[in-house]
Amino acid sequence: GLLQVVKQYVRVPVFVMIRPRGGDFLYSDREVEVMKADIRLAKLHGADGLVFGALTEDGRIDTELCTALLAVCRPLPVTFHRAFDMVHDPLVALETLISLGFERVLTSGCDSSALEGLSLIKRLVEQVIFSPGGGITERNLQRILEGSTASEFHCSARSARDSGMKFRNPNVAMGASFSAPEYSIKVADVAKVRTLNAIAKNIL
């Protein structure tokens, strides 16, 4: 439903993230079934590309699973997401991704944010399209783009918006303690997007 509505309102390419759950990137057979079904549905409803990542238990790219998922994604372009930041050896992982046919990698440079991982991003960006991501804001985007020589970036550009609910039950929470509060909604912030876009256009 989200994809169908987004496609009605935007004119930029829309890449769909295939991620059946939070947590690690080691998937069960049933989760793989879900991922394949999600890919087929995303393609059916107009996705311009797909984004996914899968690792083995020892922190390497799961080449067998990635190959199977890539086959379902064809002919759409595919990006490997920030599972890359959890690999045992990023240089080996990158070679694997290139050989498999991934066109792009989202990464924070295997560090807590793209700013901290800048040196690794700079080393890797010459070999494949890298989208620095993780902790990117209007305050650090220029430094990240100039420091990495990346030609694109990845960020949420979100703000919290207070819920319109007037009645609020203080005794009930709908998720774990680390989840978003029930009466605060995370939304894409148009002003942030425009500012980030302007900064990027000025550099690129």
Side-chain angles (χ1 to χ4, degrees):
L2 175 63
L3 175 59
Q4 288 179 308
V5 173
V6 167
K7 289 290 290 184
Q8 287 178 43
Y9 289 94
V10 305
R11 296 292 168 260
V12 295
V14 177
F15 280 47
V16 175
M17 181 85 73
I18 304 299
R19 181 128 158 79
R21 57 162 172 78
D24 64 30
F25 305 100
L26 183 66
Y27 296 113
S28 70
D29 291 344
R30 292 293 169 265
E31 288 168 337
V32 171
E33 285 182 40
V34 171
M35 293 169 85
K36 288 179 178 178
D38 284 342
I39 291 168
R40 291 185 189 102
L41 287 168
K43 288 171 68 177
L44 182 66
H45 293 287
D48 298 292
L50 288 308
V51 183
F52 68 82
L55 304 178
T56 60
E57 62 184 11
D58 57 353
R60 289 169 169 74
I61 304 298
D62 188 334
T63 54
E64 185 178 344
L65 176 51
C66 285
T67 299
L69 294 176
L70 282 163
V72 184
C73 291
R74 285 191 192 101
L76 297 182
V78 184
T79 297
F80 195 89
H81 62 40
R82 288 191 58 207
F84 183 83
D85 292 324
M86 302 304 225
V87 297
H88 180 262
D89 185 329
L91 297 177
V92 171
L94 178 59
E95 290 302 322
T96 302
L97 294 178
I98 291 171
S99 69
L100 287 172
F102 284 91
E103 299 185 6
R104 177 182 285 100
V105 178
L106 304 182
T107 183
S108 63
C110 300
D111 215 319
S112 56
S113 74
L115 198 56
E116 276 72 31
L118 205 51
S119 60
L120 178 62
I121 295 171
K122 188 172 183 178
R123 284 175 65 194
L124 299 174
V125 80
E126 298 163 3
Q127 300 176 65
V128 71
I129 298 172
F130 265 86
S131 292
I136 289 182
T137 67
E138 308 93 307
R139 294 180 300 281
N140 62 25
L141 178 59
Q142 180 172 345
R143 194 167 149 203
I144 289 166
L145 289 179
E146 289 177 346
S148 67
T149 68
S151 60
E152 53 186 61
F153 64 98
H154 168 69
C155 68
S156 60
R158 287 182 299 187
S159 291
R161 185 180 74 202
D162 194 47
S163 164
M165 288 292 297
K166 294 201 173 10
F167 171 75
R168 301 185 178 193
N169 184 346
N171 302 314
V172 179
M174 290 293 140
S177 57
F178 57 82
S179 65
E182 272 66 52
Y183 301 108
S184 177
I185 303 163
K186 292 282 191 181
V187 296
D189 186 318
V190 175
K192 283 185 179 181
V193 171
R194 285 186 175 139
T195 302
L196 289 159
N197 229 357
I199 292 167
K201 282 181 178 173
N202 190 47
I203 296 164
L204 305 173

